Structure formats: C-alpha cells, structure tokens
Amino acid sequence: MTVSPPVHPPEQRRRAGLLGDAAFLRLWSATTASGLATWAMPFLLGLAVVEGTLSGASLGLLLAARTVGFLVAVPVGGVLADRYARRTVVRIAGLAAAVATPLLVWGLTHAPTVAAAAAAVVGAGQGACRPAFQALTAEVVPEDRRQAANAAITLAVRVTTLAAPALAAVLAVVASSGLLLLATGLLWLATGLAPRPRPA
C-alpha cells in the first residue's frame, strides 16, 4: 500500500489555483472596485450636468482637479510603495477617496471649492493605488502563478473601463447621480479594506 505524502498549506494553495487563493481574490476585488469607482466618476458627473445639479464649467473644474490629484499622486504613491507596506498605501489611498466622495457630493450643490478639493483627493487616491497594486501582485502571488494573476488583473482593469459607465447608465434610471457617486465611495472603502496579507 502506497501512502501519499502529506500536502502542506502552500502546496494546497498552489493546486487550488488563483480562484482558491483568498489573498489574490482580495487583491483582485480591490483592483476591480477601484477601477469601477475610477471610471464611473466622470460619467456620473456628466449625468449631474444633465440633471442640472452641475454646470458645464464646474464639470470641467472637477475633472481637472481630479486629474491634477491623480498625476501628483502617481509618482508619490510609487515612492511610498517602495518605502512602506503596500497594503498600508492602498488602505490610506482608498479610505481617503472614500471620505472625500461624500464631500464631493455635498459640494456639488453647496460649495464648488469643497467639491474641487474633494475631487483632487479622490484623484490622488486613484493615483496612489496604481503603483501599490502592481507591487502587491508580486508580493501576494507566488512566482509560478504571477503571469496568470497579472493577466486576471489586467482583464479586470480593462473590463471596468467599459463596465463602469454602462452600469452607471443603467442605475441612473432608478437613482440620482449624487446617490451613485456616494456608491463609488463605498467602492473606495472596499478598495482600502480588501487587501490582506497572505496566510502563513
């Protein structure tokens, strides 16, 4: 009678593949959530113009503020991801964007300056997450599955560029742009909280 050698947890995870890897699924979920929030925001602000909540000039200001925040945060996020724990960078960036989103919604009708500042913070959250996510893939996924993991994350990022506006358009039938913008704040909350260390 042949006795099979015991299968240790790392070997079990290897055999289970990416779908059985909780650490990777959390990272993938966070990446997908940030992509949905990122690509839905401009579309939802455009809907606010259609609804009369936002003027065309204000829309341009908010998108410019978000872009500036993003461009400033990308290199800073890269430096932080090299010097500090990547999960901490993602957590702070995601939570900052989550907190700024309600301020953005409030500022649309009460204080354009507050809305612009909040849009810049949301953009900074988006930018800071990018390099940290890339570094986390190498940290979370074993080398023999890294190519598949990168492909899965790339696919998620590309799909969200189309799925986020389409989903926003469908939901706009039953909800206002302000409510849907608040929902993107929940996506940013998920982005900040989802990544977890790999079990030992």
Side-chain angles (χ1 to χ4, degrees):
M1 178 178 179
T2 303
V3 179
S4 299
V7 179
H8 299 292
E11 179 68 11
Q12 289 177 330
R13 287 195 295 269
R14 186 184 68 78
R15 292 182 181 180
L18 290 175
L19 293 179
D21 191 329
F24 170 75
L25 289 178
R26 285 180 174 274
L27 175 61
W28 183 87
S29 298
T31 305
T32 302
S34 68
L36 289 171
T38 295
W39 294 105
M41 180 181 171
F43 189 84
L44 294 174
L45 290 175
L47 286 178
V49 175
V50 175
E51 294 172 354
T53 306
L54 191 66
S55 68
S58 296
L59 171 63
L61 175 63
L62 293 178
L63 292 179
R66 187 188 76 146
T67 301
V68 169
F70 177 86
L71 294 176
V72 169
V74 168
V76 174
V79 172
L80 293 177
D82 287 337
R83 296 186 178 181
Y84 302 99
R86 283 76 183 248
R87 291 176 189 83
T88 301
V89 175
V90 171
R91 184 176 300 113
I92 293 174
L95 294 180
V99 170
T101 300
L103 293 175
L104 169 63
V105 175
W106 178 83
L108 292 180
T109 54
H110 294 85
T113 303
V114 172
V121 173
V122 172
Q126 296 167 1
C129 279
R130 290 289 180 88
F133 275 141
Q134 292 174 351
L136 271 175
T137 302
E139 184 177 316
V140 167
V141 180
E143 186 174 356
D144 61 336
R145 290 184 300 190
R146 206 163 289 160
Q147 184 176 1
N150 286 328
I153 290 178
T154 299
L155 179 62
V157 170
R158 291 181 178 176
V159 168
T160 56
T161 63
L162 299 175
L167 186 60
V170 172
L171 294 177
V173 176
V174 295
S176 68
S177 60
L179 185 60
L180 294 176
L181 280 169
L182 289 175
T184 67
L186 296 178
L187 290 173
W188 281 116
L189 183 63
T191 298
L193 299 179
R196 290 288 187 277
R198 170 177 291 283

